[in-house]
mmCIF file of all heavy atoms in Angstrom:
data_model
loop_
_atom_site.group_PDB
_atom_site.id
_atom_site.type_symbol
_atom_site.label_atom_id
_atom_site.label_comp_id
_atom_site.label_asym_id
_atom_site.label_seq_id
_atom_site.Cartn_x
_atom_site.Cartn_y
_atom_site.Cartn_z
ATOM 1 N N GLY A 124 0.640 22.606 -9.939
ATOM 2 C CA GLY A 124 0.996 21.244 -10.553
ATOM 3 C C GLY A 124 1.944 20.490 -9.688
ATOM 4 O O GLY A 124 2.405 19.399 -10.182
ATOM 5 N N ALA A 125 2.182 20.916 -8.497
ATOM 6 C CA ALA A 125 3.117 20.099 -7.560
ATOM 7 C C ALA A 125 2.417 18.855 -7.003
ATOM 8 O O ALA A 125 3.158 17.860 -6.637
ATOM 9 C CB ALA A 125 3.626 20.913 -6.535
ATOM 10 N N PHE A 126 1.133 18.969 -6.885
ATOM 11 C CA PHE A 126 0.437 17.696 -6.254
ATOM 12 C C PHE A 126 -0.985 17.564 -6.726
ATOM 13 O O PHE A 126 -1.488 18.545 -7.320
ATOM 14 C CB PHE A 126 0.403 17.900 -4.764
ATOM 15 C CG PHE A 126 -0.335 18.992 -4.195
ATOM 16 C CD1 PHE A 126 -1.652 19.099 -4.130
ATOM 17 C CD2 PHE A 126 0.472 20.232 -3.796
ATOM 18 C CE1 PHE A 126 -2.302 20.233 -3.690
ATOM 19 C CE2 PHE A 126 -0.212 21.316 -3.279
ATOM 20 C CZ PHE A 126 -1.707 21.345 -3.284
ATOM 21 N N VAL A 127 -1.625 16.464 -6.527
ATOM 22 C CA VAL A 127 -3.005 16.199 -6.740
ATOM 23 C C VAL A 127 -3.634 15.537 -5.543
ATOM 24 O O VAL A 127 -3.008 14.759 -4.814
ATOM 25 C CB VAL A 127 -3.169 15.281 -7.953
ATOM 26 C CG1 VAL A 127 -2.569 13.867 -7.763
ATOM 27 C CG2 VAL A 127 -4.653 15.083 -8.343
ATOM 28 N N ASP A 128 -4.737 16.071 -5.167
ATOM 29 C CA ASP A 128 -5.567 15.410 -4.094
ATOM 30 C C ASP A 128 -6.490 14.362 -4.624
ATOM 31 O O ASP A 128 -7.232 14.644 -5.601
ATOM 32 C CB ASP A 128 -6.419 16.481 -3.439
ATOM 33 C CG ASP A 128 -5.690 17.401 -2.445
ATOM 34 O OD1 ASP A 128 -4.491 16.950 -2.034
ATOM 35 O OD2 ASP A 128 -6.005 18.483 -2.144
ATOM 36 N N VAL A 129 -6.340 13.157 -4.232
ATOM 37 C CA VAL A 129 -7.142 12.053 -4.703
ATOM 38 C C VAL A 129 -7.808 11.318 -3.531
ATOM 39 O O VAL A 129 -7.350 11.445 -2.404
ATOM 40 C CB VAL A 129 -6.351 11.054 -5.579
ATOM 41 C CG1 VAL A 129 -5.828 11.706 -6.844
ATOM 42 C CG2 VAL A 129 -5.123 10.455 -4.822
ATOM 43 N N SER A 130 -8.850 10.580 -3.952
ATOM 44 C CA SER A 130 -9.482 9.792 -2.886
ATOM 45 C C SER A 130 -8.736 8.555 -2.435
ATOM 46 O O SER A 130 -8.018 7.996 -3.310
ATOM 47 C CB SER A 130 -10.939 9.317 -3.364
ATOM 48 O OG SER A 130 -11.423 8.416 -2.594
ATOM 49 N N GLY A 131 -8.851 8.170 -1.185
ATOM 50 C CA GLY A 131 -8.246 6.884 -0.712
ATOM 51 C C GLY A 131 -8.776 5.752 -1.513
ATOM 52 O O GLY A 131 -8.055 4.669 -1.629
ATOM 53 N N GLY A 132 -9.962 5.804 -2.080
ATOM 54 C CA GLY A 132 -10.604 4.772 -2.765
ATOM 55 C C GLY A 132 -10.396 4.779 -4.251
ATOM 56 O O GLY A 132 -10.907 3.918 -5.015
ATOM 57 N N ALA A 133 -9.565 5.751 -4.775
ATOM 58 C CA ALA A 133 -9.305 5.880 -6.173
ATOM 59 C C ALA A 133 -8.316 4.736 -6.602
ATOM 60 O O ALA A 133 -7.412 4.422 -5.855
ATOM 61 C CB ALA A 133 -8.723 7.211 -6.538
ATOM 62 N N LEU A 134 -8.522 4.193 -7.767
ATOM 63 C CA LEU A 134 -7.519 3.309 -8.377
ATOM 64 C C LEU A 134 -6.452 4.158 -8.919
ATOM 65 O O LEU A 134 -6.664 5.150 -9.687
ATOM 66 C CB LEU A 134 -8.206 2.420 -9.520
ATOM 67 C CG LEU A 134 -9.217 1.359 -9.065
ATOM 68 C CD1 LEU A 134 -9.629 0.615 -10.252
ATOM 69 C CD2 LEU A 134 -8.687 0.459 -7.950
ATOM 70 N N TRP A 135 -5.178 3.600 -8.792
ATOM 71 C CA TRP A 135 -4.030 4.275 -9.341
ATOM 72 C C TRP A 135 -4.076 4.457 -10.905
ATOM 73 O O TRP A 135 -3.686 5.412 -11.406
ATOM 74 C CB TRP A 135 -2.768 3.611 -8.966
ATOM 75 C CG TRP A 135 -2.282 3.899 -7.520
ATOM 76 C CD1 TRP A 135 -2.353 3.015 -6.419
ATOM 77 C CD2 TRP A 135 -1.792 5.107 -7.005
ATOM 78 N NE1 TRP A 135 -1.927 3.605 -5.320
ATOM 79 C CE2 TRP A 135 -1.561 4.888 -5.614
ATOM 80 C CE3 TRP A 135 -1.434 6.321 -7.511
ATOM 81 C CZ2 TRP A 135 -0.976 5.877 -4.754
ATOM 82 C CZ3 TRP A 135 -0.923 7.312 -6.725
ATOM 83 C CH2 TRP A 135 -0.718 7.062 -5.347
#
Side-chain angles (χ1 to χ4, degrees):
F126 61 78
V127 61
D128 282 340
V129 292
S130 167
L134 289 185
W135 281 108

